[in-house]
Amino acid sequence: LAEHYKHHWFPEKPFKGSGYRCIRINHKMDPIISKAASHIGLSLPQLYQLLPSELTLWVDPYEVSYRIGEDGSICVLYEAAATKPGSSYGLLTCKNQMMLGRTSPSKNYIMTVS
């Protein structure tokens, strides 16, 4: 992922490039997940067995969030404090854009894969 995001990673502007960093599994495996899995020896059938059929993963500087299903809650998987004072962290990340207009707050859950 670090190599894939090399020219799409802007800690000083976390929302910039966020669409590129959104990983989707919607009954079809995202190519970046397939590639990463093959590097560690997992096959495509194994991935489909391990991951939900509908998963959205937002990888932004300082935060990684996910949603299972189209109507599921958005949950934070990883969160860190911005390293620079006055940064624009949290203003309009890909996840925050998706939350605009939602009537209920998201719940924090931890996703595990066994």
Side-chain angles (χ1 to χ4, degrees):
L1 289 175
E3 181 62 31
H4 184 71
Y5 295 157
K6 184 170 29 177
H7 301 293
H8 300 273
W9 194 259
F10 308 96
E12 69 284 356
K13 296 179 183 177
F15 58 89
K16 185 176 179 180
S18 63
Y20 185 82
R21 297 187 310 268
C22 184
I23 296 172
R24 290 275 294 137
I25 299 170
N26 192 3
H27 303 284
K28 182 180 174 189
M29 192 58 59
D30 189 292
I32 194 72
I33 298 295
S34 297
K35 186 177 179 181
S38 72
H39 280 291
I40 62 167
L42 288 175
S43 67
L44 198 54
Q46 287 173 312
L47 277 179
Y48 280 114
Q49 199 172 32
L50 292 170
L51 297 172
S53 59
E54 290 185 9
L55 173 69
T56 305
L57 185 68
W58 294 277
V59 182
D60 292 317
Y62 313 114
E63 185 176 285
V64 177
S65 303
Y66 69 94
R67 180 183 65 202
I68 296 174
E70 290 299 318
D71 298 318
S73 296
I74 296 174
C75 307
V76 176
L77 184 63
Y78 170 82
E79 190 172 30
T83 57
K84 287 174 71 174
S87 81
S88 57
Y89 168 60
L91 289 181
L92 198 57
T93 63
C94 182
K95 182 195 74 169
N96 289 343
Q97 291 174 27
M98 293 289 294
M99 299 257 318
L100 291 175
R102 286 183 67 111
T103 57
S104 62
S106 62
K107 298 170 185 69
N108 288 331
Y109 297 102
I110 296 176
M111 179 176 67
T112 60
V113 177
S114 59

